Amino acid sequence: MAEAEPVMVPIQDELDIVRARQEGRQLAKDAGFGPVDLARVATAISELARNIYNYARPGTIELKKIQRGSRRGIQVVAQDHGPGIDNVEEAMRDGYTTSGGLGAGLPGTRRLVDEFEIVSRRNEGTTVTVRKWLR
Amino acid sequence: MVQKIPILKIGEALIASIQIELNDESAVQLKEDILNQISATGATGVVIDLTAVDMVDSFLGKIVRDTAFMARLMGAQVVCTGIQPAVAITLVELGLELEGVVTALNLEQGLVRLAGMVAGGGGNG
Ligand SMILES: Nc1ncnc2c1ncn2[C@@H]1O[C@H](COP(=O)(O)OP(=O)(O)O)[C@@H](O)[C@H]1O
Ligand SMILES: [Mg+2]
């Protein structure tokens, strides 16, 4: 996978959620994504950034353009060193929430992107990596 | 940081048109402002216009849904208008169908819809 300079957005305040999704939308636009994919990317970033803010702040959203073979796309890595998720399988279920949210953030994000990986360890933190490819 | 969305009153209806990128606190503020304005003005309907909104995540989706339910408890109907195609697609993919939230294509149709709902006693029909 070819490397490009990543954009790092720290997630500490509530407004950083807006900042992260705006940066992500801009990068995805530069990469050539159309309006529907831009909305998907912005929404996915918003969900991941809010999870950091709600459950594990501070953390970071790393955004970068990626290339694999002839395919080009964008990668988002949401990383924190918070409490971790006890049961990731459960957290990936629609409607599962520990905060009175909608429980749509993680399962919904998985549907919005092409590739979705989550690694979480108790007391070590959570890293969610998602990729969206240009069609 | 809270940014206030202006709420206009036209006839019996309130209109809130979201023209800025809403952060969470501002979205919560908008919900409270709408409910307070219903109470203060006796409005029977509210149009929330989303024409300029290019992203609705689960937080904003929940705010919209809660506002509609809470307004209905108070006796006012909410219609959401102008949902962009990209927003409709991401909402469904996220799993937020916003069941129970009445929608219309644009502001004008939203006001027509409200007039019908108020005359017909409200509901989803
Ligand atoms: N970064 C994180 N650190 C710790 N727990 C998390 C994190 N992200 C998600 N979670 C847990 O997973 C649950 C499901 O997340 P999500 O699908 O986004 O729904 P919601 O945020 O509405 O609860 C959360 O309620 C929370 O318990
Ligand atoms: Mg969430």
Side-chain angles (χ1 to χ4, degrees):
Chain A
M1 214 169 347
E3 292 292 311
E5 266 307 293
V7 178
M8 290 289 264
V9 185
I11 305 297
Q12 170 110 54
D13 303 326
E14 193 239 300
L15 279 175
D16 295 330
I17 302 170
V18 174
R19 208 163 289 139
R21 69 189 185 221
Q22 284 177 341
E23 292 275 2
R25 176 182 281 273
Q26 189 55 51
L27 198 73
K29 201 171 182 177
D30 292 346
F33 284 102
V36 177
D37 279 340
L38 291 180
R40 288 187 175 113
V41 168
T43 305
I45 294 169
S46 195
E47 296 293 348
L48 297 176
R50 183 172 298 97
N51 280 354
I52 293 174
Y53 176 75
N54 280 346
Y55 310 117
R57 65 176 177 267
T60 52
I61 296 281
E62 185 207 77
L63 306 156
K64 71 177 175 190
K65 293 186 206 171
I66 51 169
Q67 186 158 4
R68 187 190 285 162
S70 60
R71 292 167 93 199
R72 288 182 305 119
I74 181 172
Q75 172 177 285
V76 179
V77 181
Q79 183 164 44
D80 65 66
H81 301 284
I85 302 174
D86 271 346
N87 186 338
V88 170
E89 206 177 311
E90 203 170 42
M92 289 305 299
R93 251 200 349 253
D94 275 297
Y96 178 83
T97 178
T98 59
S99 71
L102 290 181
L106 290 175
T109 296
R110 175 152 67 178
R111 288 188 290 269
L112 291 172
V113 299
D114 298 320
E115 293 174 26
F116 180 102
E117 290 144 28
I118 179 166
V119 178
S120 191
R121 287 197 189 85
R122 189 191 290 215
N123 296 325
E124 287 182 28
T126 302
T127 303
V128 182
T129 303
V130 307
R131 296 181 200 94
K132 188 88 195 159
W133 297 104
L134 279 166
R135 271 169 299 176
Chain B
M1 191 195 63
V2 177
Q3 291 175 280
K4 284 252 190 188
I5 305 292
I7 300 174
L8 312 176
K9 179 138 194 270
I10 297 188
E12 296 295 294
L14 300 176
I15 299 177
S17 183
I18 301 173
Q19 298 289 337
I20 55 161
E21 170 106 31
L22 272 186
N23 66 307
D24 293 358
E25 262 188 85
S26 304
V28 171
Q29 183 72 48
L30 175 62
K31 174 181 82 176
E32 290 172 7
D33 286 348
I34 287 174
L35 298 177
N36 286 329
Q37 285 294 309
I38 290 170
S39 162
T41 65
T44 51
V46 182
V47 174
I48 302 177
D49 185 46
L50 301 171
T51 304
V53 171
D54 58 17
M55 190 232 51
V56 176
D57 61 9
S58 65
F59 187 86
L60 186 54
K62 182 173 191 296
I63 293 274
V64 167
R65 202 192 60 177
D66 289 353
T67 305
F69 288 166
M70 290 168 182
R72 200 172 303 156
L73 276 179
M74 296 174 65
Q77 306 296 324
V78 171
V79 177
C80 288
T81 60
I83 294 180
Q84 292 179 14
V87 171
I89 291 168
T90 49
L91 274 174
V92 171
E93 288 177 354
L94 260 187
L96 308 184
E97 271 102 38
L98 299 186
E99 306 91 346
V101 176
V102 179
T103 56
L105 216 45
N106 56 39
L107 191 58
E108 280 157 277
Q109 291 192 21
L111 288 169
V112 170
R113 189 73 200 275
L114 267 187
M117 284 161 72
V118 171
N124 272 321

